[in-house]
Amino acid sequence: MASKLLVPAALSPETFGSTTELDLCHHFRVCTVSELASSLNAMSFWHSYALPLSQTSKPVKAAIGALGGAHKAFKLQNQTDSLTRSLTQSYEVASIQQYNNAIRIMQEYMNSPDKDYQVILTCCLVFICTENLYGRYANVTRHLEAAFSLLNACDRWDLAKFMENIGPSLCGLASDLFFYVGDNYSSKLVSEITQWIDKQDPVDITVPGEPFTSAQAAAAALTRIESLCDVEMYADCPECLEAGIRCGDRGVVCKRLEKGLVSEAFYHHWSARYQAFRKTFDPSKASESELFRFKVLELEETTWQATFKLDTIEDDLETADCIQMLKQAEEIIQMFQKDKGQIFTFQANLIPPISYIIISCQEESVQWEAVRLLRLLGRREGVWDSKKMADIYTEMINAKSRRLITWEEIPSDVPQLTELLGTLKL
């Protein structure tokens, strides 16, 4: 007897088109969403917006079908038997077909007078996830450019709650991408994010804030620090540039400092609120997702503290800080890693800090420990793939130990490092 395709609750076969589309959307709803929602900032977006829109919006239906297929193929990619490999290929083909269809539908939708910003931005986020699964960071960049351009153009009060949910997620994705691509960043994306940051309500960092109400609230605020740091690194402040200084130096109060838009000052304000929240946080009463966020935030805090000790971003991290970061990362991995195969989350929480240690600490034993954790991790976080990064850094450490490259020659971003290693005879 042929197996009967399970239809998730609240959905009907009529909601989606073909059997293939129904299968992929079912996978998205029962499997993909749970992994996406485990990201630091994304707990409510997928259930509150993406899933409901997938039942009423044709573009979103098509987009999540593409993501469901890409994710299903991703979950099977490490299987070696011929049947599973054949299935993986079939899901990839189905995903590509759905993706092309979703792009076509979205193009038609964009010309509609009744287009909805929620639909467009949700599709942007779904497209970004799909491109991340395929490792196409250039396409991720283009979708992020489009998303922030829409955010900057949209100033409707009735979408405030939606923006509150999607804004931190997009900012987090952009920060992860900037760290990955380094000098290959998009100036258009930097410009759009700068506009987005400048539009946000100012924060009076001279006044102590209230403790965060949850780990997710703290995480959302932390993405602002990341975005501020991105802006500082890639977009010049006209006032401070003219004075030849960094924002906040020599007591100069520029517009960025006035609005609480300087990353280190904002971090200390955030940290005070987070420390107050920590005193009230009871791990024994927290949900698994909230505990995960809490532990990741502890790692984030250690990473930021270590970074702000540096005189310049080119300096090496202190070895003691690196060891502490690795201990925290391993604790998270041991607590939350389950036997579910490869995990995909659209926001990078663990791979970048571990990678940061490898390119910022010359102690080889520390580097190898970080590589070990990457192999143990088994995750794709946005464009960051833990196995791929472990392979790249293994080649890097071996090349350095064989004196094929010097520490000073090692670039911090992944594309340039990969290109450099490709020129060596390893």
Side-chain angles (χ1 to χ4, degrees):
M1 181 182 294
S3 61
K4 189 174 181 180
L5 189 64
L6 294 176
V7 180
L11 296 180
S12 66
E14 291 75 21
T15 305
F16 299 98
S18 66
T19 302
T20 299
E21 186 180 28
L22 181 60
D23 179 33
L24 300 184
C25 291
H26 175 259
H27 176 84
F28 173 86
R29 188 172 191 269
V30 301
C31 184
T32 311
V33 163
S34 63
E35 293 188 6
L36 293 173
S38 69
S39 296
L40 207 56
N41 284 306
M43 187 162 60
S44 59
F45 171 79
W46 297 100
H47 292 99
S48 299
Y49 295 99
L51 283 177
L53 284 172
S54 72
Q55 299 181 58
T56 59
S57 166
K58 190 176 179 181
V60 178
K61 291 177 195 175
I64 69 164
L67 178 53
H71 185 252
K72 204 162 188 176
F74 165 78
K75 298 292 280 187
L76 296 172
Q77 67 180 357
N78 290 332
Q79 303 297 318
T80 57
D81 63 280
S82 58
L83 176 59
T84 306
R85 289 173 66 181
S86 177
L87 276 173
T88 302
Q89 291 176 352
S90 69
Y91 286 128
E92 287 178 350
V93 170
S95 172
I96 292 169
Q97 290 173 341
Q98 286 289 115
Y99 189 82
N100 290 336
N101 185 44
I103 293 293
R104 179 185 58 78
I105 292 172
M106 176 53 70
Q107 288 172 341
E108 294 173 358
Y109 185 79
M110 291 293 289
N111 294 322
S112 168
D114 301 322
K115 58 180 177 287
D116 185 337
Y117 274 99
Q118 291 190 46
V119 169
I120 299 169
L121 285 166
T122 298
C123 283
C124 272
L125 201 52
V126 175
F127 289 153
I128 288 168
C129 291
T130 305
E131 295 290 3
N132 276 334
L133 277 169
Y134 287 118
R136 299 187 292 229
Y137 63 82
N139 290 348
V140 171
T141 300
R142 283 192 284 272
H143 286 305
L144 278 169
E145 289 170 354
F148 276 100
S149 179
L150 281 168
L151 285 173
N152 289 327
C154 180
D155 196 21
R156 288 169 44 187
W157 65 269
D158 57 317
L159 292 181
K161 190 66 178 177
F162 176 77
M163 298 300 187
E164 184 182 309
N165 274 272
I166 201 171
S169 297
L170 289 168
C171 286
L173 284 167
S175 293
D176 297 339
L177 181 66
F178 282 136
F179 185 30
Y180 187 89
V181 302
D183 291 338
N184 295 299
Y185 68 88
S186 158
S187 57
K188 175 175 171 53
L189 182 55
V190 172
S191 175
E192 295 290 355
I193 291 176
T194 302
Q195 290 182 53
W196 168 249
I197 288 293
D198 288 341
K199 286 177 62 178
Q200 304 311 298
D201 293 334
V203 175
D204 187 352
I205 57 178
T206 64
V207 178
E210 294 292 323
F212 290 112
T213 56
S214 66
Q216 189 180 12
L222 187 62
T223 60
R224 187 165 184 175
I225 302 172
E226 295 171 345
S227 296
L228 293 175
C229 193
D230 295 334
V231 168
E232 286 174 4
M233 288 184 67
Y234 303 115
D236 295 319
C237 168
E239 294 170 83
C240 294
L241 182 65
E242 185 176 347
I245 59 173
R246 295 187 308 171
C247 297
D249 284 355
R250 302 180 193 170
V252 174
V253 181
C254 61
K255 289 181 180 178
R256 280 187 184 170
L257 191 61
E258 276 185 336
K259 293 185 70 176
L261 297 181
V262 177
S263 61
E264 185 168 1
F266 192 88
Y267 165 75
H268 291 303
H269 185 264
W270 176 90
S271 183
R273 296 182 65 193
Y274 178 65
Q275 290 301 322
F277 162 70
R278 285 184 64 176
K279 293 177 181 178
T280 66
F281 184 79
D282 185 351
S284 65
K285 296 180 180 178
S287 66
E288 184 175 298
S289 61
E290 188 74 355
L291 184 58
F292 171 78
R293 287 176 173 84
F294 180 77
K295 291 293 183 182
V296 169
L297 285 171
E298 286 188 321
L299 173 59
E300 292 270 12
E301 186 178 39
T302 303
T303 305
W304 281 102
Q305 288 173 348
T307 301
F308 285 129
K309 289 180 182 179
L310 307 180
D311 291 327
T312 72
I313 198 64
E314 286 79 23
D315 292 344
D316 291 349
L317 294 171
E318 293 182 8
T319 302
D321 288 331
C322 294
I323 292 172
Q324 176 63 20
M325 290 160 63
L326 290 175
K327 285 181 178 178
Q328 290 176 313
E330 183 164 23
E331 182 184 3
I332 295 169
I333 294 169
Q334 290 176 344
M335 286 180 68
F336 300 101
Q337 197 77 338
K338 296 181 175 64
D339 187 21
K340 294 182 179 178
Q342 288 273 96
I343 300 295
F344 170 66
T345 175
F346 76 93
Q347 188 178 0
N349 304 133
L350 295 174
I351 303 175
I354 297 173
S355 299
Y356 182 35
I357 291 167
I358 296 173
I359 60 171
S360 303
C361 178
Q362 296 191 54
E363 289 287 336
E364 199 167 295
S365 60
V366 173
Q367 292 176 327
W368 282 123
E369 174 63 10
V371 169
R372 182 185 73 83
L373 291 185
L374 286 174
R375 295 202 185 283
L376 183 64
L377 191 54
R379 287 166 71 98
R380 173 176 278 277
E381 299 179 334
V383 293
W384 295 83
D385 184 280
S386 60
K387 182 181 182 302
K388 178 182 176 182
M389 296 314 303
D391 291 341
I392 290 172
Y393 290 132
T394 294
E395 289 188 4
M396 184 200 85
I397 298 168
N398 286 333
K400 180 174 173 290
S401 67
R402 292 167 57 185
R403 299 185 179 180
L404 297 175
I405 52 174
T406 65
W407 180 250
E408 290 71 26
E409 290 174 326
I410 296 173
S412 59
D413 64 271
V414 179
Q416 288 191 66
L417 177 57
T418 304
E419 183 179 352
L420 173 62
L421 293 172
T423 65
L424 305 177
K425 295 181 179 179
L426 297 172

